[in-house]
Structure formats: C-alpha cells, structure tokens
Amino acid sequence: MDRKPPLCTLCGSRPSIYHRRYSGERLCARCFIKTLRERVERTIARFKMFEYNSRIAVAVSGGKDSLNLLHLLHEIEEKFPKAELIAISIDEGIEGYRDEALRFASEACRRLGVEHHITSFKELYGFTLDEIAERHIGEVTTCTYCGVLRRRALNTAAREVEADRLATAHNLDDMAQTALLNLLRGDLRRMRLMHPAGFSLEGFVRRVKPYCEVPERESTLLAYIRGLGFQTKPCPYAEEAMRSDIRRFLNYMEARRPGTKFIVYRTALRIIESLGAVEESVGGVCKLCGEPTTGEICRVCQLLGELEKR
Amino acid sequence: MDRKPPLCTLCGSRPSIYHRRYSGERLCARCFIKTLRERVERTIARFKMFEYNSRIAVAVSGGKDSLNLLHLLHEIEEKFPKAELIAISIDEGIEGYRDEALRFASEACRRLGVEHHITSFKELYGFTLDEIAERHIGEVTTCTYCGVLRRRALNTAAREVEADRLATAHNLDDMAQTALLNLLRGDLRRMRLMHPAGFSLEGFVRRVKPYCEVPERESTLLAYIRGLGFQTKPCPYAEEAMRSDIRRFLNYMEARRPGTKFIVYRTALRIIESLGAVEESVGGVCKLCGEPTTGEICRVCQLLGELEKR
C-alpha cells in the first residue's frame, strides 16, 4: 500500500512537500516558494522599506538566507524597472571559510546578472579577521570585533555603490533570538536597533530587513528546493554561547507551540514601538575617522586602537 | 586538615553559609536574613507600596514565600505602630494539599500574633476546587479556574477585613517567569499586570508585591534558616507546562550568568513603564455579581456559569 502525500492546501492539485505547522498549511514546492515571496513583499510594503526607484545594496554573505533574499528581491524588483539591486559582500579574511562563501555569492550574482562588490577588512582596516584573532587579547571576543567592523564595512560598501538602502537577510529566528537575548541582557537600546524598517541617520545607509518573517527552517528548505549552492560550514570563530542557548530554547518552544517565534518577534516590535524612536541624534562625528558616532571616538576606532597597542 | 568557610562579607566575623553568586557576597545566616529584610524594605519604599497607617492584608498560602513575607512584614511593620497586618488565606478545597498548608499558615499567625482570616471557594462559589476539577470539561484547565477564582477571593477577603493593601508573595523567579511567559504568549496586557506597585482600581484592594526581588532559592534558604514549617508538597493539579519550560530555561541561564533573573525582571519593568498605564477604565460592573469588570459579565461568573451547565 503506497500512501500518497496530501495535496497542496493552496493549489489543490500538486502533492504537498511541506507541512507548515504554525499555519496548518500543507504546501507543494511551487506554492511554498510563492508564499515566501509574497511574505517578503508584504514585509517590504508594511514597513515601507523601498521606493519605486531605490538603489538597494543587498548584503550577501554566501549563506542560505542572503542568497535566498537576493533571489527573492531579484524576482520582486522585476516589477519595478527603476529599482536597482547591487550585491555587496564583506571579506573579513577568514581562511577556508569566507573565501568559500564568496564563491557561492559571486556565482549567484553572475547567474542573476547582479553587480557584485566585495569589500575586505584588510583594505578597510589593515587587518584580516584571522590577524585580529591572533593579535587581540582581553575581554573583547573575536565575534565582537567582527560584528562591529562588518557593520561599518557594510555601510561603507553601501555608500560606495551609492545605494540608498541596505538590505540584510536577518530571518525570523534571528529576530526572535535577538529580542530574547536583549531581554536577558537588559539591553533595550539594542532591542530597538532590530526594527526591520531601520532608521534614517545622517551618514548611514538605511538598513532594512525584508527577510525578517521567514523562519530559518523554511529558509533552508527554500534553498534546497531551488538547488542553490550555499555555504553550510559554520564560522570557525562562532561562539556567542548565550545566543546558542536562546536558539535551543526557542526551537524547543516552537516545536511544542508552533508560532512561538512569530509571537516573540511581533511582541518585540510592539515593545520597540512603545519605547519610542532610537536617539536619532547621533551627536557628532568620530575625531579619528570622521564617521558618525555617539561619543568622541567611534567603536571601530576604539577596537582598532586596541590592536595597534599590541 | 579542616578547611573553615570564609567569613561573612558583611559582618566580617561570623562564618559564611551562603555564597550569593550574583553579587559576589558570602553571608552568615544573620546577615543573610538582614539583607533580605532590607531588600523588602527598599522594594516597599521604591514603589511606595504602603502608607504609615496602612491596613495590610497578606495573602498567606502556607508555602515558604508567603510565610517568609509574613515574618518579614511583621518585623518591618514593628517600626510603624499605626500600620496593621492581617493574614488572609484562601481555602480552594484541595484535599490533602491545601488543608495541610492552612495548618502551617495558622500556626505561623498564632505564633506571630497576627489575625488570620480564611475564605473558602465552597462558601464563596458553592464548589470546592476538587468539585470543579471533577465537573468541568473542555478547554479551560483546573489551573485557570483556580487562578481566576482565587484572585477574586483574595480581593473579596481583603475587602472583608477592610484592608487598603493586599500584599502577595510573588518572588523574583515568579516575576522573571511571568515576563518571559507573556513575551512568548504575546500578552503585553498581562505583562503590565505584574507591576509590583499594583494599580488603584475602583472596587479592588490595591495589590502589591513586596517580595518580588527575593530569588526563589534564597526564599527556601530563609525558611530553612528560620526553621519555619512550610508546605513542600506540589499542588495535585499543578501543570502549566509552559511556565515549567520557562522556569527550567531561566534557572539554566541564571546558573551560567548569575543575575539573569534580576535583569529580566528589571527590563520587564522598564518595558511595562514605557507601555503606559493599564486601562484603568474597568468599564462597569458585572451584570450578575456586581463586581468590577471590563465586559458585561465578569470572568468569574462566566466560569461559574460553565459549571452550572453540567
């Protein structure tokens, strides 16, 4: 006796390949992709992320999330002939890891006919992340260096290609984890920074997160269905134990109560919105590099200064 | 070789019996009790919980938290001769469980010379919780019944003894769990209700939580040091799987990063305060019982109505 899978809830004709527990839907591959594309479109519309003629820099790391986002935006933007997509990648300089990811990124851009810019830590800061990891001692972790420097590098690259938006591929799991992480750290300022609509700050290209309602699990499935080549290796420096603990907890809660990640993400948005706007007065510019900062010397220059002392 | 325990960080003279990881202190029994009493006093002062002449109903279940709170308030209120303490207990009617707890409650009140009032579900609602558990079928759990009915019963009892405050013994763990629980449920209205200062609503005795900064673990230790008899049996109806999951997660995070529960509690307070006041317009009174409610018929009458139908 062979049991056929149930038909797709949406088209009613093709066999389903995925059971979306939080909605009850069973979806065929084609409808599955369609629902995710529509979800990203709705996210863009709800948060007014783009203008009809936006020049959008997409941060493409070479992982599944950013490659999926690049493909979805490429499809969505076909309806907007005045809009432009440019992929930007940051080469932190992590041997055997980022170089592989960059190959996936370049290949995807080439096939889609999307311009691809690569900016490296080495040229921007004088050090690769591998060199930083060897050099730095003390409290600050390699991940903190990478986070701060990559954030700045993405902004620099987006400005260089004259983009007016910077789209990053944070997924639903990232959002829910960040919300919980910042609750457990008591960091409401950072919780505010996760807002998918981003902020307009002088000197910064506005960051938007059109992928923020796509669960990690569906992102992986999407990449497999499309046959995308993407990096699966974890970063050799990956640590951040606290986020791993929170990821595990949220996955457990989601398995027991499908929809939990959506609830956490949406509740965090309501909290953020009630907290009011991020202090948009960045204050001034860094005395050393001229980039916007809240203090006298920006975090990037502080961290690089620590390295120079060694 | 016998190793002596390090001396108490506070008095510097007696041997320590407890290492408070989140503060780094090592405390002797006497200083340990003193710090907790002072903490409760600070909580009362910070949230302006009492007036110098408040008539305070303390909800005493017979568990460690409420017995500790009763003792601490009794000590603190000695400085305020115009203030009064009355213990109130709710007998839900849970055979072999609440009857035992009530004996601990009565014994403590007798020793302290505190008036003790017992109000039962049976006399208020016509059913014991055991009868409700047998009778009710459907979605609503026995715990939901108990929560709603006990909340009302506490208010009724506090009014009966003409109290102007109702002090409950929610501890730090309860607070942090409630914050997280409501984030995972997306229930910001309930998150607001956890505020330790309570609310002034027509028809309600203002509820305050002077014990909300005492961690569960220290509450247990306090009861043992004082040699209090208290109930250790869990409630036979106890379930609420979601809170258990969250308790386990928070205990794990606290063990890895001492102070996590405090951070979650304090961050939740900041969130609650930014959300603004609870809708203080309760609307009207219940058509059936005349108690204040937001709808036409209060939750108590709805639940009791369900029972009558059986």
Side-chain angles (χ1 to χ4, degrees):
Chain A
M1 237 180 81
D2 63 334
R3 286 222 326 192
K4 284 182 192 159
L7 291 177
C8 172
T9 323
L10 286 193
C11 65
S13 60
R14 289 177 293 265
S16 62
I17 56 146
Y18 177 62
H19 179 200
R20 184 175 271 163
R21 285 185 65 204
Y22 57 82
S23 71
E25 294 165 304
R26 295 183 183 272
L27 299 165
C28 69
R30 210 187 297 175
C31 290
F32 173 72
I33 297 181
K34 191 165 158 266
T35 59
L36 288 185
R37 188 167 47 234
E38 286 171 355
R39 192 178 295 173
V40 169
E41 282 183 296
R42 273 200 307 276
T43 306
I44 292 169
R46 178 180 306 144
F47 295 107
K48 300 186 179 62
M49 289 181 173
F50 304 136
E51 311 281 342
Y52 75 102
N53 63 349
S54 284
R55 190 166 157 83
I56 307 163
V58 190
V60 180
S61 66
K64 61 185 188 326
D65 298 319
S66 63
L67 291 175
N68 281 330
L69 177 61
L70 183 66
H71 280 79
L72 291 172
L73 287 182
H74 188 256
E75 289 157 18
I76 292 167
E77 293 306 316
E78 275 180 352
K79 298 181 215 158
F80 300 91
K82 298 241 172 192
E84 286 173 295
L85 280 189
I86 315 102
I88 60 177
S89 296
I90 307 303
D91 181 0
E92 302 93 352
I94 307 173
E95 223 193 301
Y97 172 71
R98 182 54 72 215
D99 39 7
E100 184 196 66
L102 287 176
R103 279 195 300 277
F104 288 116
S106 298
E107 198 189 299
C109 291
R110 196 181 39 72
R111 268 190 303 159
L112 293 173
V114 169
E115 217 179 296
H116 188 208
H117 284 260
I118 303 179
T119 301
S120 75
F121 274 18
K122 185 74 178 179
E123 59 188 290
L124 272 185
Y125 309 119
F127 298 101
T128 65
L129 193 69
D130 286 337
E131 286 162 0
I132 292 172
E134 265 178 46
R135 211 170 169 114
H136 86 90
I137 316 167
E139 301 274 297
V140 183
T141 65
T142 304
C143 287
T144 299
Y145 267 95
C146 188
V148 171
L149 299 182
R150 197 177 40 199
R151 200 174 165 82
R152 165 70 57 87
L154 280 172
N155 192 55
T156 306
R159 272 195 323 218
E160 257 176 37
V161 302
E162 294 179 331
D164 52 15
R165 294 292 187 279
L166 168 58
T168 58
H170 293 87
N171 63 36
L172 178 67
D173 293 50
D174 296 329
M175 301 300 273
Q177 287 160 21
T178 300
L180 209 47
L181 191 66
N182 287 316
L183 175 65
L184 268 74
R185 275 185 182 148
D187 194 340
L188 292 180
R189 196 188 71 84
R190 279 228 190 136
M191 199 188 285
R192 266 183 278 190
L193 290 179
M194 71 178 254
H195 200 290
F199 303 97
S200 295
L201 293 179
E202 183 68 31
F204 285 106
V205 179
R206 185 174 145 203
R207 280 159 181 270
V208 292
K209 303 187 178 72
Y211 204 63
C212 66
E213 301 201 4
V214 176
E216 171 104 41
R217 180 187 161 84
E218 300 193 6
S219 186
T220 308
L221 180 59
L222 177 62
Y224 278 116
I225 290 178
R226 289 206 155 157
L228 295 187
F230 65 91
Q231 191 180 41
T232 51
K233 234 186 253 187
C235 175
Y237 298 114
E239 33 170 298
E240 230 196 320
M242 196 160 172
R243 189 177 279 271
S244 306
D245 289 336
I246 286 170
R247 177 185 298 116
R248 206 177 314 120
F249 172 66
L250 278 174
N251 286 342
Y252 170 83
M253 296 304 272
E254 176 74 27
R256 301 192 65 158
R257 296 166 197 83
T260 297
K261 289 172 189 173
F262 272 106
I263 294 175
V264 170
Y265 153 73
R266 285 190 190 127
T267 311
L269 276 192
R270 285 164 58 202
I271 291 172
I272 293 169
E273 279 163 4
S274 85
L275 288 169
V278 166
E279 298 69 37
E280 306 212 351
S281 56
V282 176
V285 290
C286 171
K287 279 185 172 177
L288 298 177
C289 69
E291 291 281 338
T293 179
T294 47
E296 297 232 308
I297 292 172
C298 73
R299 188 85 177 114
V300 170
C301 289
Q302 284 173 25
L303 287 175
L304 292 175
E306 286 298 312
L307 290 181
E308 302 289 357
K309 286 190 206 147
R310 307 285 164 193
Chain B
M1 238 180 79
D2 64 334
R3 285 222 327 193
K4 283 184 192 160
L7 291 177
C8 171
T9 324
L10 285 192
C11 65
S13 60
R14 289 177 293 266
S16 63
I17 56 143
Y18 177 62
H19 179 201
R20 184 175 270 163
R21 284 186 66 206
Y22 57 82
S23 72
E25 293 164 304
R26 294 181 183 273
L27 300 164
C28 69
R30 206 187 299 176
C31 290
F32 173 73
I33 296 180
K34 189 165 160 268
T35 60
L36 288 186
R37 187 166 47 236
E38 286 172 355
R39 192 178 296 174
V40 170
E41 281 183 296
R42 272 199 308 275
T43 306
I44 292 169
R46 178 180 308 144
F47 295 107
K48 300 185 178 63
M49 289 181 173
F50 303 136
E51 311 281 342
Y52 76 102
N53 62 349
S54 284
R55 189 164 158 84
I56 307 163
V58 191
V60 180
S61 66
K64 61 186 188 328
D65 297 320
S66 63
L67 290 174
N68 280 329
L69 176 62
L70 182 67
H71 281 79
L72 291 172
L73 287 182
H74 188 255
E75 289 156 18
I76 292 168
E77 294 306 315
E78 276 180 350
K79 298 181 214 158
F80 300 91
K82 300 242 173 193
E84 286 172 295
L85 280 190
I86 315 103
I88 59 178
S89 297
I90 307 303
D91 182 0
E92 302 94 353
I94 306 173
E95 223 193 300
Y97 171 71
R98 181 55 72 215
D99 39 6
E100 183 195 68
L102 287 176
R103 279 196 300 276
F104 288 117
S106 298
E107 198 189 299
C109 291
R110 196 183 37 74
R111 267 189 305 160
L112 293 173
V114 169
E115 216 179 296
H116 188 206
H117 285 259
I118 303 180
T119 301
S120 75
F121 274 17
K122 185 74 179 177
E123 60 188 288
L124 272 185
Y125 309 119
F127 298 100
T128 65
L129 193 68
D130 286 337
E131 287 163 359
I132 291 172
E134 264 177 47
R135 211 175 169 107
H136 86 90
I137 315 167
E139 300 274 297
V140 182
T141 65
T142 304
C143 288
T144 299
Y145 268 95
C146 188
V148 170
L149 299 182
R150 196 177 41 198
R151 200 176 165 81
R152 165 71 56 88
L154 281 171
N155 192 55
T156 305
R159 271 193 326 215
E160 256 176 39
V161 301
E162 295 178 332
D164 52 15
R165 294 290 188 280
L166 169 56
T168 58
H170 292 88
N171 63 35
L172 178 67
D173 293 50
D174 296 328
M175 301 300 273
Q177 287 161 22
T178 300
L180 209 47
L181 191 66
N182 286 316
L183 174 65
L184 267 74
R185 276 185 181 148
D187 194 340
L188 292 180
R189 196 188 71 86
R190 277 225 192 138
M191 199 188 285
R192 265 181 279 187
L193 291 179
M194 69 178 256
H195 199 292
F199 303 97
S200 296
L201 294 179
E202 184 66 31
F204 285 106
V205 178
R206 184 173 146 203
R207 280 159 180 270
V208 293
K209 302 187 177 71
Y211 205 62
C212 66
E213 302 202 4
V214 176
E216 170 103 42
R217 180 187 160 84
E218 299 193 7
S219 187
T220 308
L221 181 59
L222 177 61
Y224 279 117
I225 290 177
R226 287 205 157 159
L228 295 187
F230 64 91
Q231 190 180 43
T232 51
K233 232 186 255 187
C235 176
Y237 298 113
E239 34 171 296
E240 229 195 320
M242 197 160 170
R243 189 177 280 269
S244 306
D245 290 335
I246 286 169
R247 178 186 297 115
R248 205 175 316 121
F249 172 67
L250 278 173
N251 285 342
Y252 170 84
M253 296 305 271
E254 177 74 26
R256 301 191 64 158
R257 295 167 197 84
T260 297
K261 290 172 188 172
F262 272 107
I263 293 175
V264 170
Y265 153 73
R266 285 189 189 128
T267 311
L269 276 192
R270 285 163 59 205
I271 291 172
I272 291 168
E273 281 163 3
S274 86
L275 288 169
V278 165
E279 298 70 35
E280 305 211 351
S281 57
V282 176
V285 290
C286 172
K287 281 183 172 178
L288 299 177
C289 68
E291 292 281 339
T293 178
T294 47
E296 297 233 307
I297 293 172
C298 74
R299 188 86 176 114
V300 171
C301 288
Q302 284 173 25
L303 286 176
L304 292 175
E306 286 298 312
L307 289 181
E308 303 289 357
K309 285 190 207 151
R310 309 283 162 195

